[in-house]
Amino acid sequence: MTQCCFLRVHSLFFWFWSFHRRMALALCLQVLCSLCGWLSLYISFCHLNKHRSCEWSCRLVTFTHGVLSIGLSAYIGFIDGPWPFTHPGSPNTPLQVHVLCLTLGYFIFDLGCIWRFAWRKSIKKYHAWRSRRSEERQLKYNGHLKIH
């Protein structure tokens, strides 16, 4: 009898594990499709606006994401529900999951844009900040600016 009960729990565990694995795979596929959508929008903006820089097209994608996210979030919060102030912590609706995947795909796209366009600028800013910090430290402790 114990062995039979163990087999039921064991098979239930593997079904549960495989269900979560399939669900995670579906979510990753949605995020990948979202990333491909943002990339295709970026490429189409680059082709439509050849006289502008690629960074400008990236900013257009950012603007599009902002408008789309605000619109979808307002629709979910005010129309589709659940109202977040009366039902906090309720399970996510499928539309909320889709918007989350859409936003996560954009987040990955934006990280790529930062790496592509702002990497050198951020390195230069960090280097300038570090050099100023080391100069301030030397001025404070060399005895000339120290107040006795």
Side-chain angles (χ1 to χ4, degrees), residues 32-108:
L32 187 63
C33 288
S34 169
L35 176 63
C36 290
W38 292 116
L39 281 172
S40 65
L41 184 65
Y42 169 71
I43 290 169
S44 66
F45 280 150
C46 284
H47 286 298
L48 287 174
N49 303 304
K50 290 183 181 181
H51 61 283
R52 302 276 188 172
S53 69
C54 292
E55 187 177 359
W56 189 82
S57 297
C58 185
R59 291 180 185 202
L60 268 180
V61 173
T62 301
F63 175 75
T64 306
H65 170 260
V67 170
L68 190 66
S69 293
I70 289 171
L72 287 172
S73 297
Y75 175 77
I76 288 171
F78 295 122
I79 297 169
D80 192 45
W83 182 249
F85 298 117
T86 57
H87 297 88
S90 60
N92 291 333
T93 63
L95 182 60
Q96 288 173 335
V97 173
H98 290 308
V99 171
L100 177 70
C101 291
L102 183 76
T103 305
L104 186 57
Y106 170 76
F107 178 72
I108 295 169

